[in-house]
Amino acid sequence: MKKLRTFLLLCLGLILAACGQPEPIQAPPPPVVQIPHTAVGHYCGMYLFEHQGPKGQILLREREAPLWFTTIREVFAYTMLPEESKAIAATYVQDMAQRDQDGQFPEQAWIPAQDAWYLIYSRYTGGMGTIDALPFSQEQAAKDFQQQHGGQLVRFADMPENYIFGAVALP
């Protein structure tokens, strides 16, 4: 009986010790680097290849394929709308500084959305021919673009909700 009690106390101690351990933090999944030709925008249902400007993708824990977005404002809308899934494993946007002279983005242009600098209220026309939040991986690249196109720089956490959901006209 004494051995059984000792064994049970030992087991209980191990269980309690394990309860206090935080879950290991998993690295976010990598972006899907090549946009499939069949990819359509989550909200607009239009093919991504039909539109210029930076694109976005959100990877959800309960879904294999990413959600695709034709504009960066749509990426922010998804993260802000209460009815959308909050099981977000990773969010990626294309770095404007990496686009070529034809406005195309190389496969390595995907950057974590939370790390980007965003140029808003600029004179630059983004995806779908509208104004958009333009992501940059480096602050200086964003400032250089801002010098040419105007606008305001913000970080992911500071994106104004009225910029995402309000009617914003081209300057």
Side-chain angles (χ1 to χ4, degrees):
M1 187 68 171
K2 187 174 180 180
K3 285 184 181 182
L4 179 60
R5 192 174 94 175
T6 304
F7 175 74
L8 291 174
L9 285 173
L10 179 62
C11 288
L12 181 61
L14 289 172
I15 290 170
L16 290 175
C19 289
Q21 299 299 319
E23 297 249 346
I25 297 174
Q26 293 182 345
V32 174
V33 294
Q34 189 171 16
I35 300 173
H37 197 66
T38 57
V40 295
H42 179 69
Y43 291 121
C44 67
M46 301 173 85
Y47 289 109
L48 269 65
F49 73 84
E50 294 178 331
H51 302 283
Q52 294 293 314
K55 311 294 187 282
Q57 62 178 284
I58 293 180
L59 303 167
L60 299 176
R61 287 189 285 276
E62 71 264 6
R63 182 184 156 114
E64 279 190 43
L67 298 175
W68 295 104
F69 298 91
T70 52
T71 70
I72 305 305
R73 285 175 71 193
E74 291 174 345
V75 171
F76 278 95
Y78 186 94
T79 65
M80 292 176 178
L81 288 169
E83 64 269 19
E84 297 294 6
S85 173
K86 299 307 173 216
I88 297 172
T91 305
Y92 295 100
V93 293
Q94 290 176 315
D95 183 1
M96 282 290 292
Q98 294 188 45
R99 67 195 167 92
D100 63 22
Q101 286 88 358
D102 295 330
Q104 301 301 311
F105 293 86
E107 290 181 356
Q108 71 271 13
W110 293 105
I111 57 174
Q114 290 80 359
D115 297 343
W117 291 87
Y118 294 91
L119 182 61
I120 60 175
Y121 298 113
S122 76
R123 294 182 298 275
Y124 186 85
T125 304
M128 297 185 65
T130 64
I131 73 156
D132 201 3
L134 306 173
F136 292 86
S137 61
Q138 302 294 317
E139 181 181 19
Q140 190 55 53
K143 286 181 176 181
D144 293 345
F145 200 86
Q146 180 185 31
Q147 286 282 10
Q148 191 175 9
H149 299 281
Q152 171 188 347
L153 286 179
V154 296
R155 296 306 299 256
F156 187 90
D158 302 320
M159 181 63 68
E161 222 176 275
N162 65 345
Y163 179 80
I164 300 305
F165 296 113
V168 182
L170 284 169

mmCIF file of all heavy atoms in Angstrom, residues 27-72:
data_model
loop_
_atom_site.group_PDB
_atom_site.id
_atom_site.type_symbol
_atom_site.label_atom_id
_atom_site.label_comp_id
_atom_site.label_asym_id
_atom_site.label_seq_id
_atom_site.Cartn_x
_atom_site.Cartn_y
_atom_site.Cartn_z
ATOM 1 N N ALA A 27 6.695 27.727 -35.052
ATOM 2 C CA ALA A 27 6.977 28.717 -36.085
ATOM 3 C C ALA A 27 5.791 28.778 -37.035
ATOM 4 O O ALA A 27 5.152 27.755 -37.300
ATOM 5 C CB ALA A 27 8.242 28.337 -36.836
ATOM 6 N N PRO A 28 5.470 29.961 -37.544
ATOM 7 C CA PRO A 28 4.351 30.046 -38.484
ATOM 8 C C PRO A 28 4.685 29.288 -39.765
ATOM 9 O O PRO A 28 5.862 29.175 -40.144
ATOM 10 C CB PRO A 28 4.218 31.550 -38.749
ATOM 11 C CG PRO A 28 5.514 32.137 -38.353
ATOM 12 C CD PRO A 28 6.107 31.247 -37.320
ATOM 13 N N PRO A 29 3.674 28.775 -40.438
ATOM 14 C CA PRO A 29 3.936 28.092 -41.705
ATOM 15 C C PRO A 29 4.463 29.098 -42.728
ATOM 16 O O PRO A 29 4.130 30.280 -42.667
ATOM 17 C CB PRO A 29 2.576 27.544 -42.111
ATOM 18 C CG PRO A 29 1.582 28.356 -41.363
ATOM 19 C CD PRO A 29 2.256 28.812 -40.104
ATOM 20 N N PRO A 30 5.278 28.646 -43.662
ATOM 21 C CA PRO A 30 5.799 29.559 -44.676
ATOM 22 C C PRO A 30 4.703 29.952 -45.672
ATOM 23 O O PRO A 30 3.687 29.263 -45.787
ATOM 24 C CB PRO A 30 6.889 28.733 -45.369
ATOM 25 C CG PRO A 30 6.441 27.318 -45.194
ATOM 26 C CD PRO A 30 5.752 27.275 -43.851
ATOM 27 N N PRO A 31 4.912 31.047 -46.397
ATOM 28 C CA PRO A 31 3.916 31.444 -47.396
ATOM 29 C C PRO A 31 3.915 30.482 -48.574
ATOM 30 O O PRO A 31 4.898 29.787 -48.834
ATOM 31 C CB PRO A 31 4.388 32.833 -47.832
ATOM 32 C CG PRO A 31 5.859 32.805 -47.599
ATOM 33 C CD PRO A 31 6.070 31.949 -46.382
ATOM 34 N N VAL A 32 2.814 30.456 -49.285
ATOM 35 C CA VAL A 32 2.767 29.783 -50.579
ATOM 36 C C VAL A 32 3.407 30.783 -51.539
ATOM 37 O O VAL A 32 2.857 31.866 -51.754
ATOM 38 C CB VAL A 32 1.324 29.433 -50.985
ATOM 39 C CG1 VAL A 32 1.276 28.874 -52.397
ATOM 40 C CG2 VAL A 32 0.722 28.463 -49.986
ATOM 41 N N VAL A 33 4.586 30.466 -52.044
ATOM 42 C CA VAL A 33 5.361 31.475 -52.779
ATOM 43 C C VAL A 33 4.857 31.720 -54.193
ATOM 44 O O VAL A 33 4.981 32.826 -54.708
ATOM 45 C CB VAL A 33 6.868 31.136 -52.812
ATOM 46 C CG1 VAL A 33 7.459 31.212 -51.420
ATOM 47 C CG2 VAL A 33 7.130 29.791 -53.431
ATOM 48 N N GLN A 34 4.285 30.724 -54.812
ATOM 49 C CA GLN A 34 3.786 30.916 -56.174
ATOM 50 C C GLN A 34 2.261 30.940 -56.146
ATOM 51 O O GLN A 34 1.621 29.975 -55.722
ATOM 52 C CB GLN A 34 4.282 29.805 -57.096
ATOM 53 C CG GLN A 34 3.965 30.068 -58.539
ATOM 54 C CD GLN A 34 4.654 29.062 -59.442
ATOM 55 O OE1 GLN A 34 5.126 28.023 -59.010
ATOM 56 N NE2 GLN A 34 4.708 29.382 -60.723
ATOM 57 N N ILE A 35 1.698 32.051 -56.584
ATOM 58 C CA ILE A 35 0.244 32.178 -56.609
ATOM 59 C C ILE A 35 -0.284 31.285 -57.733
ATOM 60 O O ILE A 35 0.100 31.455 -58.895
ATOM 61 C CB ILE A 35 -0.186 33.642 -56.850
ATOM 62 C CG1 ILE A 35 0.339 34.551 -55.733
ATOM 63 C CG2 ILE A 35 -1.710 33.735 -56.940
ATOM 64 C CD1 ILE A 35 0.105 36.034 -55.972
ATOM 65 N N PRO A 36 -1.168 30.346 -57.407
ATOM 66 C CA PRO A 36 -1.723 29.488 -58.461
ATOM 67 C C PRO A 36 -2.509 30.323 -59.473
ATOM 68 O O PRO A 36 -3.113 31.340 -59.118
ATOM 69 C CB PRO A 36 -2.640 28.523 -57.720
ATOM 70 C CG PRO A 36 -2.302 28.658 -56.277
ATOM 71 C CD PRO A 36 -1.672 29.991 -56.086
ATOM 72 N N HIS A 37 -2.512 29.882 -60.697
ATOM 73 C CA HIS A 37 -3.240 30.593 -61.752
ATOM 74 C C HIS A 37 -4.744 30.618 -61.458
ATOM 75 O O HIS A 37 -5.459 31.494 -61.936
ATOM 76 C CB HIS A 37 -2.955 29.940 -63.106
ATOM 77 C CG HIS A 37 -3.311 30.790 -64.279
ATOM 78 N ND1 HIS A 37 -2.652 31.968 -64.561
ATOM 79 C CD2 HIS A 37 -4.267 30.653 -65.226
ATOM 80 C CE1 HIS A 37 -3.179 32.509 -65.639
ATOM 81 N NE2 HIS A 37 -4.157 31.740 -66.055
ATOM 82 N N THR A 38 -5.193 29.684 -60.645
ATOM 83 C CA THR A 38 -6.618 29.583 -60.312
ATOM 84 C C THR A 38 -6.986 30.343 -59.036
ATOM 85 O O THR A 38 -8.145 30.319 -58.628
ATOM 86 C CB THR A 38 -7.007 28.103 -60.126
ATOM 87 O OG1 THR A 38 -6.164 27.546 -59.105
ATOM 88 C CG2 THR A 38 -6.849 27.327 -61.420
ATOM 89 N N ALA A 39 -6.019 31.027 -58.401
ATOM 90 C CA ALA A 39 -6.289 31.731 -57.149
ATOM 91 C C ALA A 39 -7.243 32.894 -57.369
ATOM 92 O O ALA A 39 -7.054 33.712 -58.271
ATOM 93 C CB ALA A 39 -4.985 32.237 -56.534
ATOM 94 N N VAL A 40 -8.263 32.956 -56.508
ATOM 95 C CA VAL A 40 -9.232 34.051 -56.576
ATOM 96 C C VAL A 40 -9.271 34.772 -55.238
ATOM 97 O O VAL A 40 -8.999 34.188 -54.190
ATOM 98 C CB VAL A 40 -10.654 33.558 -56.951
ATOM 99 C CG1 VAL A 40 -10.690 32.985 -58.347
ATOM 100 C CG2 VAL A 40 -11.174 32.552 -55.951
ATOM 101 N N GLY A 41 -9.604 36.042 -55.282
ATOM 102 C CA GLY A 41 -9.702 36.849 -54.073
ATOM 103 C C GLY A 41 -10.824 36.345 -53.171
ATOM 104 O O GLY A 41 -11.917 36.021 -53.644
ATOM 105 N N HIS A 42 -10.547 36.291 -51.889
ATOM 106 C CA HIS A 42 -11.496 35.779 -50.903
ATOM 107 C C HIS A 42 -12.810 36.558 -50.933
ATOM 108 O O HIS A 42 -13.880 35.965 -50.820
ATOM 109 C CB HIS A 42 -10.865 35.841 -49.505
ATOM 110 C CG HIS A 42 -11.761 35.375 -48.418
ATOM 111 N ND1 HIS A 42 -12.143 34.054 -48.276
ATOM 112 C CD2 HIS A 42 -12.369 36.053 -47.402
ATOM 113 C CE1 HIS A 42 -12.936 33.941 -47.219
ATOM 114 N NE2 HIS A 42 -13.086 35.135 -46.671
ATOM 115 N N TYR A 43 -12.757 37.855 -51.058
ATOM 116 C CA TYR A 43 -13.972 38.664 -51.041
ATOM 117 C C TYR A 43 -14.529 38.955 -52.427
ATOM 118 O O TYR A 43 -15.741 38.936 -52.614
ATOM 119 C CB TYR A 43 -13.727 39.990 -50.303
ATOM 120 C CG TYR A 43 -13.511 39.813 -48.831
ATOM 121 C CD1 TYR A 43 -12.337 40.240 -48.224
ATOM 122 C CD2 TYR A 43 -14.467 39.209 -48.025
ATOM 123 C CE1 TYR A 43 -12.129 40.069 -46.863
ATOM 124 C CE2 TYR A 43 -14.267 39.030 -46.667
ATOM 125 C CZ TYR A 43 -13.097 39.467 -46.100
ATOM 126 O OH TYR A 43 -12.896 39.290 -44.759
ATOM 127 N N CYS A 44 -13.664 39.235 -53.384
ATOM 128 C CA CYS A 44 -14.161 39.673 -54.690
ATOM 129 C C CYS A 44 -14.409 38.516 -55.651
ATOM 130 O O CYS A 44 -15.134 38.670 -56.626
ATOM 131 C CB CYS A 44 -13.195 40.677 -55.320
ATOM 132 S SG CYS A 44 -11.601 39.944 -55.783
ATOM 133 N N GLY A 45 -13.774 37.362 -55.414
ATOM 134 C CA GLY A 45 -13.958 36.210 -56.297
ATOM 135 C C GLY A 45 -13.298 36.377 -57.657
ATOM 136 O O GLY A 45 -13.568 35.614 -58.571
ATOM 137 N N MET A 46 -12.429 37.376 -57.800
ATOM 138 C CA MET A 46 -11.746 37.617 -59.077
ATOM 139 C C MET A 46 -10.365 36.965 -59.053
ATOM 140 O O MET A 46 -9.755 36.825 -58.004
ATOM 141 C CB MET A 46 -11.636 39.114 -59.327
ATOM 142 C CG MET A 46 -12.994 39.802 -59.379
ATOM 143 S SD MET A 46 -12.845 41.593 -59.473
ATOM 144 C CE MET A 46 -12.640 41.767 -61.227
ATOM 145 N N TYR A 47 -9.888 36.585 -60.234
ATOM 146 C CA TYR A 47 -8.559 35.983 -60.343
ATOM 147 C C TYR A 47 -7.487 37.000 -59.959
ATOM 148 O O TYR A 47 -7.496 38.138 -60.435
ATOM 149 C CB TYR A 47 -8.303 35.481 -61.760
ATOM 150 C CG TYR A 47 -9.109 34.255 -62.106
ATOM 151 C CD1 TYR A 47 -10.169 34.339 -63.000
ATOM 152 C CD2 TYR A 47 -8.816 33.017 -61.538
ATOM 153 C CE1 TYR A 47 -10.920 33.219 -63.316
ATOM 154 C CE2 TYR A 47 -9.565 31.893 -61.856
ATOM 155 C CZ TYR A 47 -10.610 31.993 -62.744
ATOM 156 O OH TYR A 47 -11.345 30.886 -63.047
ATOM 157 N N LEU A 48 -6.546 36.572 -59.144
ATOM 158 C CA LEU A 48 -5.471 37.459 -58.708
ATOM 159 C C LEU A 48 -4.607 37.914 -59.865
ATOM 160 O O LEU A 48 -4.154 39.056 -59.892
ATOM 161 C CB LEU A 48 -4.600 36.789 -57.637
ATOM 162 C CG LEU A 48 -5.032 37.032 -56.197
ATOM 163 C CD1 LEU A 48 -6.373 36.428 -55.881
ATOM 164 C CD2 LEU A 48 -3.986 36.560 -55.228
ATOM 165 N N PHE A 49 -4.357 37.038 -60.841
ATOM 166 C CA PHE A 49 -3.471 37.392 -61.953
ATOM 167 C C PHE A 49 -4.029 38.513 -62.810
ATOM 168 O O PHE A 49 -3.294 39.128 -63.578
ATOM 169 C CB PHE A 49 -3.140 36.151 -62.803
ATOM 170 C CG PHE A 49 -4.285 35.662 -63.663
ATOM 171 C CD1 PHE A 49 -4.531 36.216 -64.915
ATOM 172 C CD2 PHE A 49 -5.102 34.624 -63.227
ATOM 173 C CE1 PHE A 49 -5.568 35.761 -65.707
ATOM 174 C CE2 PHE A 49 -6.135 34.154 -64.013
ATOM 175 C CZ PHE A 49 -6.373 34.726 -65.250
ATOM 176 N N GLU A 50 -5.311 38.828 -62.680
ATOM 177 C CA GLU A 50 -5.922 39.890 -63.478
ATOM 178 C C GLU A 50 -5.647 41.287 -62.933
ATOM 179 O O GLU A 50 -6.009 42.272 -63.547
ATOM 180 C CB GLU A 50 -7.439 39.688 -63.555
ATOM 181 C CG GLU A 50 -7.858 38.448 -64.318
ATOM 182 C CD GLU A 50 -9.362 38.257 -64.329
ATOM 183 O OE1 GLU A 50 -10.046 38.690 -63.376
ATOM 184 O OE2 GLU A 50 -9.853 37.665 -65.297
ATOM 185 N N HIS A 51 -5.004 41.371 -61.751
ATOM 186 C CA HIS A 51 -4.843 42.665 -61.097
ATOM 187 C C HIS A 51 -3.394 42.931 -60.718
ATOM 188 O O HIS A 51 -2.677 42.045 -60.286
ATOM 189 C CB HIS A 51 -5.718 42.728 -59.839
ATOM 190 C CG HIS A 51 -7.159 42.498 -60.144
ATOM 191 N ND1 HIS A 51 -7.950 43.467 -60.708
ATOM 192 C CD2 HIS A 51 -7.934 41.399 -60.007
ATOM 193 C CE1 HIS A 51 -9.160 42.971 -60.893
ATOM 194 N NE2 HIS A 51 -9.168 41.720 -60.476
ATOM 195 N N GLN A 52 -2.997 44.177 -60.892
ATOM 196 C CA GLN A 52 -1.668 44.625 -60.471
ATOM 197 C C GLN A 52 -1.699 44.916 -58.980
ATOM 198 O O GLN A 52 -2.742 44.867 -58.353
ATOM 199 C CB GLN A 52 -1.279 45.901 -61.239
ATOM 200 C CG GLN A 52 -1.103 45.681 -62.727
ATOM 201 C CD GLN A 52 0.093 44.804 -63.032
ATOM 202 O OE1 GLN A 52 1.167 45.000 -62.486
ATOM 203 N NE2 GLN A 52 -0.096 43.830 -63.895
ATOM 204 N N GLY A 53 -0.560 45.253 -58.444
ATOM 205 C CA GLY A 53 -0.483 45.635 -57.038
ATOM 206 C C GLY A 53 -0.165 44.456 -56.150
ATOM 207 O O GLY A 53 -0.249 43.295 -56.560
ATOM 208 N N PRO A 54 0.220 44.748 -54.905
ATOM 209 C CA PRO A 54 0.592 43.685 -53.973
ATOM 210 C C PRO A 54 -0.622 42.850 -53.567
ATOM 211 O O PRO A 54 -1.730 43.358 -53.440
ATOM 212 C CB PRO A 54 1.173 44.446 -52.781
ATOM 213 C CG PRO A 54 0.520 45.785 -52.837
ATOM 214 C CD PRO A 54 0.305 46.076 -54.297
ATOM 215 N N LYS A 55 -0.380 41.585 -53.370
ATOM 216 C CA LYS A 55 -1.413 40.640 -52.961
ATOM 217 C C LYS A 55 -1.147 40.203 -51.522
ATOM 218 O O LYS A 55 -0.078 40.444 -50.967
ATOM 219 C CB LYS A 55 -1.412 39.392 -53.855
ATOM 220 C CG LYS A 55 -1.394 39.653 -55.343
ATOM 221 C CD LYS A 55 -2.650 40.320 -55.824
ATOM 222 C CE LYS A 55 -2.707 40.435 -57.326
ATOM 223 N NZ LYS A 55 -1.915 41.498 -57.895
ATOM 224 N N GLY A 56 -2.122 39.512 -50.951
ATOM 225 C CA GLY A 56 -1.971 38.983 -49.602
ATOM 226 C C GLY A 56 -2.481 37.563 -49.515
ATOM 227 O O GLY A 56 -3.247 37.108 -50.368
ATOM 228 N N GLN A 57 -2.023 36.868 -48.485
ATOM 229 C CA GLN A 57 -2.517 35.521 -48.207
ATOM 230 C C GLN A 57 -2.579 35.323 -46.698
ATOM 231 O O GLN A 57 -1.724 35.804 -45.960
ATOM 232 C CB GLN A 57 -1.646 34.454 -48.861
ATOM 233 C CG GLN A 57 -0.219 34.415 -48.389
ATOM 234 C CD GLN A 57 0.578 33.301 -49.047
ATOM 235 O OE1 GLN A 57 0.418 32.140 -48.671
ATOM 236 N NE2 GLN A 57 1.426 33.653 -50.011
ATOM 237 N N ILE A 58 -3.630 34.639 -46.275
ATOM 238 C CA ILE A 58 -3.792 34.286 -44.866
ATOM 239 C C ILE A 58 -3.877 32.769 -44.791
ATOM 240 O O ILE A 58 -4.679 32.147 -45.501
ATOM 241 C CB ILE A 58 -5.035 34.942 -44.242
ATOM 242 C CG1 ILE A 58 -4.845 36.468 -44.178
ATOM 243 C CG2 ILE A 58 -5.320 34.370 -42.855
ATOM 244 C CD1 ILE A 58 -6.007 37.231 -43.587
ATOM 245 N N LEU A 59 -3.043 32.194 -43.938
ATOM 246 C CA LEU A 59 -3.046 30.757 -43.710
ATOM 247 C C LEU A 59 -3.782 30.479 -42.408
ATOM 248 O O LEU A 59 -3.431 31.045 -41.361
ATOM 249 C CB LEU A 59 -1.610 30.234 -43.633
ATOM 250 C CG LEU A 59 -0.767 30.535 -44.883
ATOM 251 C CD1 LEU A 59 0.700 30.276 -44.612
ATOM 252 C CD2 LEU A 59 -1.240 29.727 -46.058
ATOM 253 N N LEU A 60 -4.810 29.666 -42.494
ATOM 254 C CA LEU A 60 -5.606 29.307 -41.323
ATOM 255 C C LEU A 60 -5.206 27.929 -40.814
ATOM 256 O O LEU A 60 -4.854 27.052 -41.608
ATOM 257 C CB LEU A 60 -7.102 29.303 -41.675
ATOM 258 C CG LEU A 60 -7.688 30.634 -42.145
ATOM 259 C CD1 LEU A 60 -9.141 30.457 -42.555
ATOM 260 C CD2 LEU A 60 -7.564 31.689 -41.066
ATOM 261 N N ARG A 61 -5.289 27.753 -39.505
ATOM 262 C CA ARG A 61 -4.920 26.458 -38.911
ATOM 263 C C ARG A 61 -5.841 25.333 -39.375
ATOM 264 O O ARG A 61 -5.406 24.208 -39.512
ATOM 265 C CB ARG A 61 -4.929 26.555 -37.383
ATOM 266 C CG ARG A 61 -3.754 27.341 -36.838
ATOM 267 C CD ARG A 61 -3.641 27.244 -35.335
ATOM 268 N NE ARG A 61 -4.627 28.036 -34.626
ATOM 269 C CZ ARG A 61 -4.498 29.329 -34.354
ATOM 270 N NH1 ARG A 61 -3.422 29.973 -34.732
ATOM 271 N NH2 ARG A 61 -5.433 29.983 -33.700
ATOM 272 N N GLU A 62 -7.097 25.620 -39.640
ATOM 273 C CA GLU A 62 -8.047 24.561 -39.995
ATOM 274 C C GLU A 62 -8.202 24.364 -41.505
ATOM 275 O O GLU A 62 -9.099 23.675 -41.950
ATOM 276 C CB GLU A 62 -9.416 24.835 -39.357
ATOM 277 C CG GLU A 62 -10.173 25.995 -39.979
ATOM 278 C CD GLU A 62 -10.026 27.321 -39.258
ATOM 279 O OE1 GLU A 62 -9.236 27.411 -38.300
ATOM 280 O OE2 GLU A 62 -10.701 28.282 -39.667
ATOM 281 N N ARG A 63 -7.312 24.940 -42.286
ATOM 282 C CA ARG A 63 -7.452 24.883 -43.739
ATOM 283 C C ARG A 63 -6.078 24.706 -44.381
ATOM 284 O O ARG A 63 -5.119 25.339 -43.960
ATOM 285 C CB ARG A 63 -8.102 26.196 -44.179
ATOM 286 C CG ARG A 63 -8.377 26.335 -45.615
ATOM 287 C CD ARG A 63 -8.923 27.737 -45.870
ATOM 288 N NE ARG A 63 -8.681 28.093 -47.238
ATOM 289 C CZ ARG A 63 -9.625 28.272 -48.137
ATOM 290 N NH1 ARG A 63 -10.878 28.168 -47.790
ATOM 291 N NH2 ARG A 63 -9.322 28.584 -49.373
ATOM 292 N N GLU A 64 -6.006 23.864 -45.409
ATOM 293 C CA GLU A 64 -4.716 23.626 -46.066
ATOM 294 C C GLU A 64 -4.316 24.762 -47.001
ATOM 295 O O GLU A 64 -3.200 25.237 -46.954
ATOM 296 C CB GLU A 64 -4.756 22.311 -46.842
ATOM 297 C CG GLU A 64 -4.534 21.104 -45.957
ATOM 298 C CD GLU A 64 -4.341 19.845 -46.767
ATOM 299 O OE1 GLU A 64 -3.612 19.878 -47.782
ATOM 300 O OE2 GLU A 64 -4.916 18.830 -46.365
ATOM 301 N N ALA A 65 -5.222 25.175 -47.864
ATOM 302 C CA ALA A 65 -4.911 26.210 -48.848
ATOM 303 C C ALA A 65 -5.063 27.596 -48.219
ATOM 304 O O ALA A 65 -5.917 27.807 -47.354
ATOM 305 C CB ALA A 65 -5.840 26.083 -50.048
ATOM 306 N N PRO A 66 -4.241 28.556 -48.659
ATOM 307 C CA PRO A 66 -4.392 29.912 -48.115
ATOM 308 C C PRO A 66 -5.638 30.600 -48.645
ATOM 309 O O PRO A 66 -6.177 30.222 -49.685
ATOM 310 C CB PRO A 66 -3.130 30.629 -48.611
ATOM 311 C CG PRO A 66 -2.707 29.886 -49.819
ATOM 312 C CD PRO A 66 -3.148 28.463 -49.625
ATOM 313 N N LEU A 67 -6.070 31.605 -47.910
ATOM 314 C CA LEU A 67 -7.070 32.534 -48.422
ATOM 315 C C LEU A 67 -6.283 33.595 -49.178
ATOM 316 O O LEU A 67 -5.308 34.138 -48.658
ATOM 317 C CB LEU A 67 -7.851 33.181 -47.274
ATOM 318 C CG LEU A 67 -8.652 32.249 -46.377
ATOM 319 C CD1 LEU A 67 -9.267 33.041 -45.228
ATOM 320 C CD2 LEU A 67 -9.723 31.534 -47.157
ATOM 321 N N TRP A 68 -6.687 33.896 -50.398
ATOM 322 C CA TRP A 68 -5.981 34.878 -51.226
ATOM 323 C C TRP A 68 -6.737 36.196 -51.232
ATOM 324 O O TRP A 68 -7.966 36.213 -51.150
ATOM 325 C CB TRP A 68 -5.853 34.356 -52.663
ATOM 326 C CG TRP A 68 -5.004 33.139 -52.774
ATOM 327 C CD1 TRP A 68 -5.423 31.850 -52.951
ATOM 328 C CD2 TRP A 68 -3.573 33.082 -52.714
ATOM 329 N NE1 TRP A 68 -4.345 31.012 -52.995
ATOM 330 C CE2 TRP A 68 -3.202 31.733 -52.857
ATOM 331 C CE3 TRP A 68 -2.580 34.041 -52.541
ATOM 332 C CZ2 TRP A 68 -1.877 31.315 -52.845
ATOM 333 C CZ3 TRP A 68 -1.259 33.627 -52.534
ATOM 334 C CH2 TRP A 68 -0.919 32.279 -52.682
ATOM 335 N N PHE A 69 -5.979 37.294 -51.360
ATOM 336 C CA PHE A 69 -6.581 38.628 -51.366
ATOM 337 C C PHE A 69 -5.961 39.454 -52.486
ATOM 338 O O PHE A 69 -4.742 39.496 -52.636
ATOM 339 C CB PHE A 69 -6.361 39.315 -50.010
ATOM 340 C CG PHE A 69 -7.018 38.562 -48.883
ATOM 341 C CD1 PHE A 69 -6.323 37.588 -48.184
ATOM 342 C CD2 PHE A 69 -8.338 38.810 -48.540
ATOM 343 C CE1 PHE A 69 -6.933 36.874 -47.158
ATOM 344 C CE2 PHE A 69 -8.953 38.101 -47.518
ATOM 345 C CZ PHE A 69 -8.244 37.134 -46.829
ATOM 346 N N THR A 70 -6.812 40.134 -53.246
ATOM 347 C CA THR A 70 -6.352 40.950 -54.368
ATOM 348 C C THR A 70 -5.836 42.311 -53.925
ATOM 349 O O THR A 70 -5.135 42.977 -54.675
ATOM 350 C CB THR A 70 -7.478 41.152 -55.401
ATOM 351 O OG1 THR A 70 -8.630 41.646 -54.719
ATOM 352 C CG2 THR A 70 -7.821 39.861 -56.107
ATOM 353 N N THR A 71 -6.198 42.731 -52.722
ATOM 354 C CA THR A 71 -5.684 43.993 -52.180
ATOM 355 C C THR A 71 -5.253 43.787 -50.735
ATOM 356 O O THR A 71 -5.722 42.865 -50.057
ATOM 357 C CB THR A 71 -6.737 45.128 -52.217
ATOM 358 O OG1 THR A 71 -7.756 44.842 -51.255
ATOM 359 C CG2 THR A 71 -7.333 45.314 -53.603
ATOM 360 N N ILE A 72 -4.405 44.654 -50.272
ATOM 361 C CA ILE A 72 -3.929 44.576 -48.893
ATOM 362 C C ILE A 72 -5.004 45.063 -47.923
ATOM 363 O O ILE A 72 -5.112 44.566 -46.806
ATOM 364 C CB ILE A 72 -2.609 45.365 -48.726
ATOM 365 C CG1 ILE A 72 -1.561 44.864 -49.730
ATOM 366 C CG2 ILE A 72 -2.095 45.274 -47.297
ATOM 367 C CD1 ILE A 72 -1.282 43.369 -49.687
#
